[in-house]
Amino acid sequence: MSQTIAFIGSGNIGRTLARLAVDAGLDVVLSNSRGPETLADVVAELGDDARAATPAQAARATGLVVVSLPFHAYGKLPADALVGRTVIDAMHYFPERDGRIDDLEERRTTSSELLQRHLSGSHVVKTLGNMDFLRLYGSARPSGDPERSALPVTGDDAKAKAKVVRFMDTLGYDALDVGSLGDSWRHEAGTPINVLPYVGEPPKGMTQEQAHEWMFNGPSAVVGADRVKELTGQATRTGRVGLYLEDLFPVGH
């Protein structure tokens, strides 16, 4: 596996994964749409193993690139610079934020397939986006630890998936291959494997304010590969596409 990992998108998920990568002894290249200078504080926090760049520079820096932009911005990813790269798709489609995309609303494709269509010269693998960023950092465990969790992985290229699985192992997670990019809807936002299994069972009768507090300060739960298989198998393509916290914790739950 490459010893340098690039990130396009440096929000909560991108920064968390970068911190895990640095903790694991990897070099990271961070980028966002606003310019390298806006990442000075993040780079300083991560230390000497981190540097900032433009998205195109980050894409060319290594063969493994994590993208974690708001989904509506996926068309701005530098496709030419990403040719030949393995691209980890940690994004989710939320219609309230991203605007309605008919192909997704009508289940004609998946968000990862749309990304792969844009990045036709890259190898897209979807993973690392179905935990909240706080638990994504706090739940990482070394290989063999009984409290190590697993995350679902989907992709069309076996070699690219294998590369991503090795990266996940380095970060502190097991992986379960649940199919192709056409199956990636099984771990999109709003599906049974998304966020809540890693949070644990919330108390009953919470207000919305208490639910938010629980999400940020509640305990983590261990989710093994068998449970990932069970939950991704329960996913259906019915109902609303994309969910927010208000949907995850209804008032009075």
Side-chain angles (χ1 to χ4, degrees):
M1 187 185 69
S2 171
Q3 293 301 299
T4 299
I5 310 300
F7 294 84
I8 301 178
S10 298
N12 288 332
I13 292 293
R15 290 198 304 270
T16 297
L17 292 172
R19 186 173 294 111
L20 285 172
V22 168
D23 289 350
L26 305 177
D27 294 327
V28 302
V29 183
L30 301 167
S31 69
N32 62 18
S33 61
R34 298 182 301 279
E37 66 280 358
T38 66
L39 294 168
D41 290 346
V42 179
V43 169
E45 179 184 343
L46 292 175
D48 293 341
D49 295 326
R51 63 183 176 91
T54 66
Q57 290 168 340
R60 293 189 175 100
T62 183
L64 186 59
V65 183
V66 178
V67 297
S68 57
L69 306 170
F71 185 73
H72 63 78
Y74 81 92
K76 297 179 181 179
L77 288 166
D80 290 346
L82 287 165
V83 168
R85 271 67 176 174
T86 295
V87 175
I88 296 177
D89 174 13
M91 299 185 291
H92 285 302
Y93 163 64
F94 294 106
E96 294 91 339
R97 178 195 65 191
D98 299 315
R100 178 186 170 92
I101 299 176
D102 288 343
D103 279 347
L104 298 181
E105 295 289 337
E106 297 170 14
R107 276 70 172 184
R108 291 194 291 266
T109 189
T110 66
S111 60
S112 292
E113 287 177 309
L114 287 180
L115 177 62
Q116 180 66 85
R117 191 181 306 170
H118 173 61
L119 303 178
S120 58
S122 307
H123 308 292
V124 173
V125 178
K126 185 176 184 69
T127 192
L128 294 170
N130 66 299
M131 287 182 74
D132 71 275
F133 72 96
L134 294 171
R135 289 171 183 83
L136 184 61
Y137 186 74
S139 296
R141 297 289 187 276
S143 180
D145 190 303
E147 294 191 350
R148 178 154 144 145
S149 284
L151 300 169
V153 176
T154 45
D156 295 340
D157 185 279
K159 290 182 179 180
K161 279 198 282 191
K163 180 188 295 187
V164 171
V165 168
R166 291 194 298 271
F167 173 58
M168 294 168 68
D169 178 57
T170 299
L171 294 188
Y173 288 96
D174 290 335
L176 182 72
D177 188 341
V178 296
S180 68
L181 293 181
D183 300 307
S184 62
W185 61 269
R186 292 187 177 277
H187 55 115
E188 289 176 345
T191 58
I193 193 58
N194 192 255
V195 179
L196 286 186
Y198 302 92
V199 176
E201 184 64 29
K204 302 293 183 181
M206 288 190 297
T207 65
Q208 201 68 65
E209 182 178 351
Q210 290 169 331
H212 280 260
E213 180 71 15
W214 174 265
M215 271 299 295
F216 284 101
N217 297 303
S220 300
V222 178
V223 181
D226 288 344
R227 184 62 171 155
V228 172
K229 183 177 181 180
E230 177 185 357
L231 292 173
T232 53
Q234 291 174 2
T236 63
R237 301 196 82 178
T238 59
R240 188 179 175 207
V241 179
L243 297 175
Y244 281 116
L245 182 61
E246 290 74 12
D247 304 291
L248 294 172
F249 288 126
V251 174
H253 173 81

